[in-house]
Amino acid sequence: MRVGICPGSFDPVTNGHVDIFERASKLVDKLIVAVLDNPNKKPLFTMEERVELIRKSVGHIPNVEVDGASGGLLYKYANSKNSRIIIRGLRALSDFEYEFQRALLLKKIDNDLETVFIMTNAKYSFVSSSGVRELATFGGQLKDLVPECIEERVRKHVYKKFE
Ligand code: ADP
């Protein structure tokens, strides 16, 4: 069975991420969305909250599993899931430098792992978790940025934190 992993912080998940999950799920038998803690970022949503928001957003994709993978290294996590395929989304040129370094570092650590990139859907190319957090902090609407089923929840959660 071909297992792919979409790792990320997803703080919170956006329509751009869900679009990548939908497309990635067609390339593999099973897709695991792995919520990881990025040591360079202090998350606004807890691991459990991020996992729950993604689960609500991917109910329509049959072969997707959502998992919280706190504290672990990605290559160890991938090995534990018998996966050799890491799938990441790519937006602008600004993503490239970071993704390029990450993919090469991962390859150096575990030569059997391949990082595969899926180009953003043009209509989500400007959507980012940080943009969503910023908008919500000031009470902005998140329509078309995050899945409709979690929109209100995300908006209130972020707004309350900064009230
Ligand atoms: P990380 O903290 O690991 O960079 P993110 O949650 O910010 O995690 O992003 C996870 C993955 O989704 C990354 O590969 C990122 O480039 C990609 N991504 C984020 N937003 C979009 C978008 N709008 N379209 C396509 N890919 C995206």
Side-chain angles (χ1 to χ4, degrees), residues 7-12 14-17 20 38 41 87-91 95 98-99 102 117-121 124-129:
S9 344
F10 310 114
D11 187 37
T14 68
N15 280 341
H17 293 133
I20 298 292
N38 182 333
K41 299 179 183 174
I87 304 171
R88 300 274 294 174
L90 207 52
R91 281 163 300 184
D95 276 345
Y98 173 70
E99 295 294 342
R102 260 184 82 129
F117 295 98
I118 295 183
M119 205 57 69
T120 186
N121 183 322
Y124 300 130
S125 60
F126 62 93
V127 179
S128 66
S129 297

Side-chain angles (χ1 to χ4, degrees), residues 104-161:
L104 291 192
L105 187 61
L106 192 63
K107 194 91 191 119
K108 164 114 184 81
I109 296 169
D110 186 339
N111 193 41
D112 291 333
L113 285 180
E114 291 298 344
T115 305
V116 174
F117 295 98
I118 295 183
M119 205 57 69
T120 186
N121 183 322
K123 66 181 177 182
Y124 300 130
S125 60
F126 62 93
V127 179
S128 66
S129 297
S130 59
V132 164
R133 293 196 302 271
E134 199 174 318
L135 250 178
T137 303
F138 298 107
Q141 295 298 319
L142 303 178
K143 187 170 159 26
D144 297 334
L145 301 180
V146 301
E148 215 177 316
C149 58
I150 63 165
E151 201 180 307
E152 229 12 55
R153 169 105 196 269
V154 170
R155 207 174 63 78
K156 286 192 175 141
H157 178 98
V158 179
Y159 191 59
K160 226 165 56 200
K161 283 222 165 172

Side-chain angles (χ1 to χ4, degrees), residues 81-99:
K81 299 289 176 185
N82 286 321
S83 172
R84 316 245 53 91
I85 313 163
I86 307 299
I87 304 171
R88 300 274 294 174
L90 207 52
R91 281 163 300 184
L93 205 57
S94 50
D95 276 345
F96 180 79
E97 183 79 24
Y98 173 70
E99 295 294 342

